[in-house]
């Protein structure tokens, strides 16, 4: 039980620094990207048409979401070596 | 002021702005809190899955963003120096309510789905794909409300004061 706790601690510390930074970046971008894309696209791209600017903002927010999902799936690959050392420790 | 452009017409417009933000935020809060309970349960067993389990929380945030975008959109059409017909006031109120209540429904669904699926993800990793699919279906409920709000808002500039 203590070996599993140690393995969990190692993976946790390895992941903690990178995970927190990623989460901070995504939280900020989820707040900043849609509103900034709304106002910037309304002014420079759509010549004052606010409905198209709203659609652009919704697109931008969904792009942030899809990026987060892809990043979380890609993050799953590295912890495989940590899992393979567990049977050796249990012996 | 006439019957078509009364002085109290902006009340409905601003009520639309407020209701869009208020109700979609209530939905996002419900989703975040309910999913957060499940994530706290998962975090004690498998902390390496935390990035994946935060997907319901990010989707709840998107619901709040929908409400914010509709609020900004409606507020951009309100101008004290121009005429504001009661027709436009009702349109803005309807648009705000449409986005707000659909956001409430979507956030509620995201919360319950996120909680249960994140807890199930501890035991079976293939639940992840179905969790993302169900969450996407729950989120498009909020998107439908936003689309209806946008369609309604395009008609708000057509009425004129006599």
């Amino acid at each position: 039980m203590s070996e599993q706790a140690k393995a969990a601690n190692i993976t946790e510390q390895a992941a903690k620094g990178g995970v927190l930074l990623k989460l901070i970046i995504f939280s900020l971008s989820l707040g900043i990207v849609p509103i900034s894309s709304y106002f910037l696209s309304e002014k420079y791209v759509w010549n004052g048409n606010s409905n198209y600017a709203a659609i652009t903002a919704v697109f931008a927010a969904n792009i942030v979401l899809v990026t987060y999902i892809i990043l979380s799936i890609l993050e799953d690959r590295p912890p495989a070596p940590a899992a393979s050392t567990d049977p050796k420790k249990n012996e | 002021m006439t019957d078509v452009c009364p002085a109290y017409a902006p009340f409905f417009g601003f009520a639309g702005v407020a209701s869009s933000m208020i109700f979609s935020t209530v939905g996002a809060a419900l989703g975040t809190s309910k999913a957060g309970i499940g994530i706290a349960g998962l975090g004690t067993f498998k902390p390496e899955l935390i990035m994946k389990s935060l997907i319901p929380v990010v989707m709840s945030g998107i619901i709040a963003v929908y409400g914010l975008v509709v609020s900004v959109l409606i507020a951009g059409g309100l101008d004290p120096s121009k005429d504001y017909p009661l027709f436009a006031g009702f349109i803005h109120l309807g648009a705000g309510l449409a986005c707000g209540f659909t956001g409430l429904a979507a956030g509620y669904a995201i919360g319950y789905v996120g909680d249960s699926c994140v807890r199930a993800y501890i035991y079976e990793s293939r639940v992840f794909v179905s969790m993302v699919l169900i969450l996407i279906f729950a989120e498009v409920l909020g998107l439908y409300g936003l689309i209806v709000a946008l369609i309604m808002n395009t008609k708000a500039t057509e009425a004129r004061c006599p």
Side-chain angles (χ1 to χ4, degrees), chain A residues 8 11-12 19 22-23 30 34-35 38-39 50-51 54-55 57-58 61-62 65 68-69 71-73 75-76, chain B residues 47-52 54-55 58-59 61-62 65-66 68-69 72-73 121 128 132 139 143 146 150 153-154:
Chain A
T11 52
E12 174 197 334
V19 168
K22 274 187 216 169
L23 289 176
L30 194 59
I35 282 295
Y38 175 87
F39 284 115
S50 55
N51 293 309
I55 295 173
V58 166
N62 280 302
L65 172 70
Y68 181 81
I69 292 177
L71 219 75
S72 70
I73 291 174
E75 200 210 32
D76 196 32
Chain B
E48 65 267 14
L49 297 176
I50 286 197
M51 271 285 278
K52 276 187 174 183
L54 278 170
I55 288 177
V58 176
M59 288 192 153
I62 299 270
V65 166
Y66 290 166
L68 177 67
V69 165
V72 170
L73 179 71
Y121 184 55
F128 180 73
V132 172
E139 176 158 330
L143 189 65
L146 180 131
L150 285 181
N153 190 50
T154 56

Side-chain angles (χ1 to χ4, degrees), chain A residues 9-25 75, chain B residues 47 51:
Chain A
N9 269 332
I10 290 170
T11 52
E12 174 197 334
Q13 282 166 10
K16 200 170 26 172
V19 168
L20 188 60
L21 186 65
K22 274 187 216 169
L23 289 176
I24 289 175
I25 290 174
E75 200 210 32
Chain B
M51 271 285 278

Side-chain angles (χ1 to χ4, degrees), chain B residues 67-98:
Chain B
L68 177 67
V69 165
V70 169
S71 284
V72 170
L73 179 71
I74 297 174
L78 295 165
D79 192 350
S81 61
K82 293 183 190 159
D83 290 332
Y84 192 65
L86 195 57
F87 181 71
F90 287 145
I91 285 179
H92 286 152
L93 177 66
L97 287 175

